[in-house]
Amino acid sequence: MGDTFIRHIELLGYEKRFFPSQHYVTPKWFDGQRSTQNRQGTLAEYCYGLVNLPHKISRCGHVVSFFRVRPDDTSPVTDSQIKKPEVFLLPKDSKKNPTDITGPIVLQTYRVIADYEKSSRSEMALKTGEMVDVVEKSESGWWFCQLKNKRGWVPAAYLEPMDGPDESEEQEPNYAGELYIVQKSYTASEEDELTLKEGDTIEVIHKLLDGWWVIRKNEATGFYPSMYLQKSGEENSPVKSELRNRSAPPRRSTIRNVRSIHKQSRKQISQETYRRNSRKYIQSRRNMKGNFKEKANVILEKNEQEENRSKAQPAVPPRPSKDLIMNRCTESTRRKIL
């Protein structure tokens, strides 16, 4: 009896498995019917080409093991057996070396603190108490999440980490500020927000994960949607332009009926604190500039004085008298004078 090998493969359909783990190389979440058919056709062509390769490849142990029936193929798993999903991340230089893929990274799990109804196909509805896995955290305040076989964008304000109320990713305020350009106008709807026009230059002093950043315009501070801002010097991209067509995510402070599992409230900084610290920083920056100018002026005055001294003409000595000349001159000079 000869060795076991694959003679024929017929692809009737395919499914994305969630057990023991789910892996993605290029996450394309919202495939239509047409792309699904194209993918199935591509898989069928690949399988046909594989079994028709030379015997040293098509009949090797790796191919036979890959197509061997597994216990979970005939006994589907239940929801309680589903483990935390994993995701494969492509490195930044993947174009140079497409085979270099990092190991699986376990996604972070967040808890939903309030119900959320989606407003578009790309979003995902949430129910209070659900546990979702965060696939991507965007600075816009929209996070891409998954829950079993559901995936979509959700407002980060509706999620809280499991390990504590203060998210470690939220950095402290930077009152030195980073220069950003307003790419889309926005009219403030709350007292602690700012109204800005497209093209305005502002300074970002605190980046918050819910997508509402604290910015400074002159000496005024307030919240502004980060998705409408672009860092000074950076080029615009189609992805950013498309994102700005969406509405800003809800602010964490506007969520009603929030049910947090944490007894400690989230760390919040008042606008008065932002304004006071901003004024202090601006004043200290002005003082530093003033001191620098004074030192520069002192150095400049000293240099000018030294230059004037070096350029000054020597004093002309007084003309000697006739008697002094007669006493000091030679005999021949004395004869000429007399």
Side-chain angles (χ1 to χ4, degrees), residues 101-116:
I101 301 178
T102 63
I105 299 177
V106 177
L107 304 180
Q108 289 182 287
T109 300
Y110 280 71
R111 180 181 179 274
V112 180
I113 59 176
D115 293 348
Y116 176 73

Side-chain angles (χ1 to χ4, degrees), residues 10-65:
E10 184 175 353
L11 184 65
L12 302 178
Y14 72 95
E15 66 177 5
K16 191 172 290 182
R17 288 296 179 90
F18 291 85
F19 182 84
S21 61
Q22 182 176 203
H23 302 88
Y24 301 103
V25 175
T26 54
K28 226 172 158 47
W29 310 105
F30 303 105
D31 292 339
Q33 183 65 24
R34 184 175 181 180
S35 61
T36 300
Q37 293 174 354
N38 292 340
R39 183 173 296 177
Q40 182 168 333
T42 302
L43 289 173
E45 292 177 4
Y46 176 82
C47 292
Y48 176 81
L50 180 61
V51 298
N52 285 281
L53 289 173
H55 290 180
K56 65 179 181 179
I57 299 176
S58 61
R59 299 188 181 187
C60 71
H62 295 294
V63 174
V64 175
S65 177

Side-chain angles (χ1 to χ4, degrees), residues 110 137-139 143 165-178 180 204-214 223 226 231 252 266-269 274:
Y110 280 71
K137 293 180 179 180
S138 172
E139 288 187 338
W143 289 3
D166 295 330
E167 294 167 351
S168 58
E169 301 96 331
E170 283 194 358
Q171 54 188 310
E172 294 298 319
N174 174 24
Y175 292 103
E178 295 181 64
Y180 276 75
V204 174
I205 61 177
H206 200 183
K207 298 179 179 180
L208 303 176
L209 289 179
D210 64 356
W212 287 83
W213 291 355
V214 182
F223 291 101
S226 63
K231 195 168 186 178
R252 198 181 298 273
R266 295 184 61 84
K267 179 181 178 182
Q268 293 183 349
I269 302 177
Y274 284 124

